[in-house]
């Protein structure tokens, strides 16, 4: 389940907490963008980078114990030299890019996601009716070419015949041809746990504090707009 669906379902997890760690108070527009196209044979999901790990996890859960060729990169500021097997490593401005190119099972991918959840798994792989492609590079905030345009959701792309994937991303309607989803994050408060009141390390405070606010979701489905809001503390 992706972190947006999780929050709208009233659930919490480490994954959704990690998504909001970097945010201070304020309104953050055009985050976690989604575009879905449905045809007779395939469903295509395109998203911004926020859904990277969620898509990899959902695809890996379908792959299970089967193996397939996995390519791409695991991206982090952490030193993962002894944590993962990699083909090569690139580094720029403190960001490490571990190049992956090997056969892996879905369970092996899931084990890594659970072991090091704070890194970006920009991995591409395909099997049966699932084809996942993610840009193997450190993401940047999606920006339009001019201020009147909306950023494009083009960091991740998944093509599948499995409708379950679609229902996780577009939960307003079960049947449609095309949908575009936009999210604004309004962070109203930063809740610092009592046990951290005397903590001097700001990075620890930022990492473990909870964000209180709401997600403003606008869905354009076959030309019809549906707007919803969901309060959260994660």
């Amino acid at each position: 389940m992706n972190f947006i669906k999780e929050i709208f379902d009233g659930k919490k997890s480490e994954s959704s907490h990690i998504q909001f760690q970097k945010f201070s108070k304020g309104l953050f527009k055009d985050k976690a963008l989604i575009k879905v196209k449905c045809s007779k044979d395939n469903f295509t999901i395109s998203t911004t980078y926020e859904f990277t790990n969620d898509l990899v996890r959902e695809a890996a859960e379908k792959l299970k114990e089967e193996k397939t060729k996995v390519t791409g990169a695991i991206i982090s500021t952490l030193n993962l030299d002894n944590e993962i097997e990699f083909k090569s490593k690139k580094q720029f401005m403190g960001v490490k890019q571990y190049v992956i190119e090997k056969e892996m099972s879905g369970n092996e991918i899931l084990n890594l996601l659970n072991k090091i959840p704070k890194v970006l798994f920009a991995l591409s792989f395909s099997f049966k009716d699932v084809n996942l492609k993610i840009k193997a590079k450190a993401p940047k905030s999606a920006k339009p070419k001019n201020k009147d345009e909306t950023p494009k959701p083009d960091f991740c792309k998944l093509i599948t015949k499995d409708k379950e994937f679609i229902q996780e991303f577009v939960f307003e309607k079960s049947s449609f041809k095309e949908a575009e989803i936009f999210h604004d994050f309004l962070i109203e408060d930063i809740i610092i746990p009592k046990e951290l009141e005397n903590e001097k390390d700001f990075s620890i405070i930022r990492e473990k504090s909870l964000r209180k606010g709401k997600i403003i979701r606008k869905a354009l489905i076959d030309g019809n707009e549906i707007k919803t809001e969901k309060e959260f503390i994660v």
Side-chain angles (χ1 to χ4, degrees):
M1 181 182 296
N2 67 71
F3 77 102
I4 293 290
K5 179 70 162 60
E6 189 173 73
I7 289 173
F8 271 80
D9 282 354
K11 299 176 181 178
K12 296 180 182 180
S13 73
E14 183 182 14
S15 175
S16 57
H17 175 71
I18 290 171
Q19 286 283 351
F20 287 90
Q21 282 181 349
K22 66 182 179 182
F23 291 107
S24 57
K25 289 183 184 180
L27 177 63
F28 302 87
K29 298 180 70 66
D30 292 328
K31 300 297 180 183
L33 306 181
I34 305 165
K35 186 172 184 178
V36 178
K37 289 186 177 181
C38 303
S39 65
K40 286 185 178 180
D41 299 322
N42 288 309
F43 305 106
T44 302
I45 306 172
S46 301
T47 76
T48 45
Y49 77 92
E50 292 94 339
F51 292 104
T52 299
N53 286 13
D54 290 334
L55 282 167
V56 170
R57 180 178 291 278
E58 291 195 33
E61 286 173 348
K62 299 284 185 183
L63 182 59
K64 297 180 180 178
E65 69 276 359
E66 292 184 40
K67 287 197 171 188
T68 189
K69 185 175 182 180
V70 178
T71 60
I74 295 176
I75 299 165
S76 176
T77 56
L78 303 173
N79 187 337
L80 304 177
D81 290 7
N82 299 320
E83 300 289 334
I84 59 175
E85 294 180 16
F86 54 93
K87 182 179 180 181
S88 60
K89 183 174 75 171
K90 304 174 185 177
Q91 184 167 332
F92 180 72
M93 299 290 287
V95 178
K96 301 171 183 65
Q97 182 173 318
Y98 293 88
V99 177
I100 305 297
E101 186 178 331
K102 64 174 184 173
E103 292 279 320
M104 295 182 73
S105 70
N107 291 337
E108 287 173 326
I109 296 170
L110 289 171
N111 287 338
L112 283 178
L113 283 162
N114 294 331
K115 183 180 179 182
I116 43 176
K118 296 178 184 178
V119 307
L120 189 76
F121 285 81
L123 304 178
S124 298
F125 55 96
S126 60
F127 60 96
K128 294 181 181 177
D129 297 330
V130 175
N131 186 348
L132 176 62
K133 292 185 178 180
I134 297 176
K135 292 181 179 180
K137 63 180 184 179
K140 297 179 181 179
S141 296
K143 293 182 180 179
K145 291 182 179 179
N146 63 67
K147 63 181 181 180
D148 296 323
E149 290 183 350
T150 302
K152 291 183 178 180
D154 60 0
F155 195 82
C156 309
K157 185 175 183 179
L158 183 138
I159 301 173
T160 181
K161 297 181 185 295
D162 190 339
K163 196 172 183 179
E164 285 186 14
F165 280 105
I166 305 303
Q167 293 169 339
E168 291 286 323
F169 287 86
V170 183
F171 39 82
E172 287 83 358
K173 287 187 176 182
S174 59
S175 180
F176 61 92
K177 291 183 178 179
E178 187 169 332
E180 290 184 272
I181 314 292
F182 309 85
H183 297 102
D184 294 340
F185 298 159
L186 177 60
I187 310 300
E188 299 170 313
D189 197 11
I190 308 293
I191 302 173
I192 301 174
K194 287 185 178 180
E195 62 269 23
L196 295 180
E197 287 179 353
N198 297 318
E199 177 61 56
K200 303 299 183 184
D201 189 333
F202 180 74
S203 63
I204 293 176
I205 295 173
R206 182 180 62 184
E207 180 179 324
K208 295 188 176 181
S209 292
L210 303 178
R211 271 68 179 173
K212 179 182 179 181
K214 63 182 176 181
I215 295 175
I216 303 162
R217 177 180 171 97
K218 184 176 74 173
L220 294 176
I221 303 175
D222 293 335
N224 298 313
E225 181 177 317
I226 302 172
K227 192 172 182 179
T228 53
E229 296 183 1
K230 181 67 177 180
E231 295 182 348
F232 65 86
I233 299 176
V234 294

